[in-house]
Amino acid sequence: MTGDKPYSSGIEVRPITPADTAEICDLLEHGFGIAADDWRPLYTTNWLADNPPRGFVLTDGGRIVGHCGTIYSQREINGKTGFVCNFSGYYVAPAYRGRGLGATLVAAAVRDERITYTSLTPAPVTQRVLQALGFAILERHVLLFPPGLNAETLWRSRVDIDVNDRTVRASLGQAERRIYDDHAPYDCLHMTARDAGGTAYLVVKRRLRRVRSAPIPLSQILYCSEPDVLARNLERIKLAIMWQQKTFGIAMNERLFPKAPRAIRREDIAQYRSAVFTPNELDLLYSEFVLLDI
C-alpha cells in the first residue's frame, strides 16, 4: 500500500505500534526510495529503558498515509541532563499534502516542552512546519574536508591516534563508555587522538553524500569530545579516519568549532527546539545518522 490514493473515511494521528512496522517501512520505501528493510532499525533500536513511542502515524481508514519517527535518548552534556528526541522518516503521502495534516502529525510528536527535539535532515517544507512549531536553526552548513586541505596542521601535529576497539573503550570514562557501548552495534568508528594538550574521543560514521550530484563516501563525525585536539591535528586525524573507513574526506558540523578550520561549506539546514541544551551542545549521536544509511 503506497498511500497515494486517499480513502473517504476518517483521518487520525496516533502513536506507532509494533504491528505498524512493515507498513511504515513500505510507505517510506515508496516515499524516499530507500529499501524497506533499511528503515527497520528505527523500530528495533531502543536507547531508553522505558520504551517511549517510536513515532506517530497519520492514518486514513486504518491505512498509514503519513509518518514521523522519533528516536529518544537521555543525554548528560556539560553538567545538564535531558531527553533528546531526533525526528526521522517524516513523510506524508502526496494525496494528503496541502491540508495541514503534516503539521498535525508533527505537532503530536512535540507536545512535551521538557524534551529537546532535533531534525537533522528536514526538507524545505518540513523546515516551515517546524518553524511554525517553535523550532530554531541548529545548523546552516556542513563542513567538508577533502584530503590535503588542512596540510599545514601536519607540521605542528604530534598526535597519538588509537582505533583499536579494546584499548579505546578501556581508555574512556563512564559516560563516554556508555556512548561507545550504545553505538558499537552500528558500524561506527571509535577512536582517540591524544596530543600534549589533551585527548579527544571521536565517533565517526561512513556515509554517502551527494557532491555535485554524485554519491561520494565520506566520514561523518558524529561526536568529538575535544574539538581543539581535532583542530590542532586535523590532517593526521582526517587521514586516519579516511584510511579506516575507505572514504574521500570527512564531514562535520560547523557548530563544533568556535572558529572553524578551512573547509568547504555546503548548505545543510538542521533545526531544533530545546529549553535545556544550546546548539553547540548537541551532536549527532543517538540519531538517524547512526541507524540509517542516509
Side-chain angles (χ1 to χ4, degrees), residues 168-245:
V168 167
R169 186 181 185 279
S171 71
L172 302 176
Q174 182 178 357
E176 289 183 339
R177 191 169 295 182
R178 177 189 164 215
I179 291 173
Y180 181 102
D181 291 341
D182 285 344
H183 291 77
Y186 299 103
D187 195 28
C188 294
L189 172 65
H190 299 262
M191 66 185 300
T192 56
R194 180 181 294 106
D195 69 6
T199 301
Y201 167 50
L202 296 92
V203 184
V204 190
K205 181 79 173 184
R206 188 182 193 273
R207 298 180 60 203
L208 288 177
R209 289 191 62 99
R210 289 201 166 271
V211 178
R212 296 180 181 176
S213 301
I216 303 296
L218 294 175
S219 295
Q220 177 81 53
I221 294 182
L222 306 178
Y223 173 79
C224 177
S225 64
E226 296 290 342
D228 287 347
V229 175
L230 175 59
R232 286 194 297 267
N233 306 281
L234 184 52
E235 192 68 25
R236 290 193 191 280
I237 293 174
K238 180 201 311 179
L239 294 174
I241 291 172
M242 292 167 54
W243 175 260
Q244 291 294 317
Q245 296 195 314

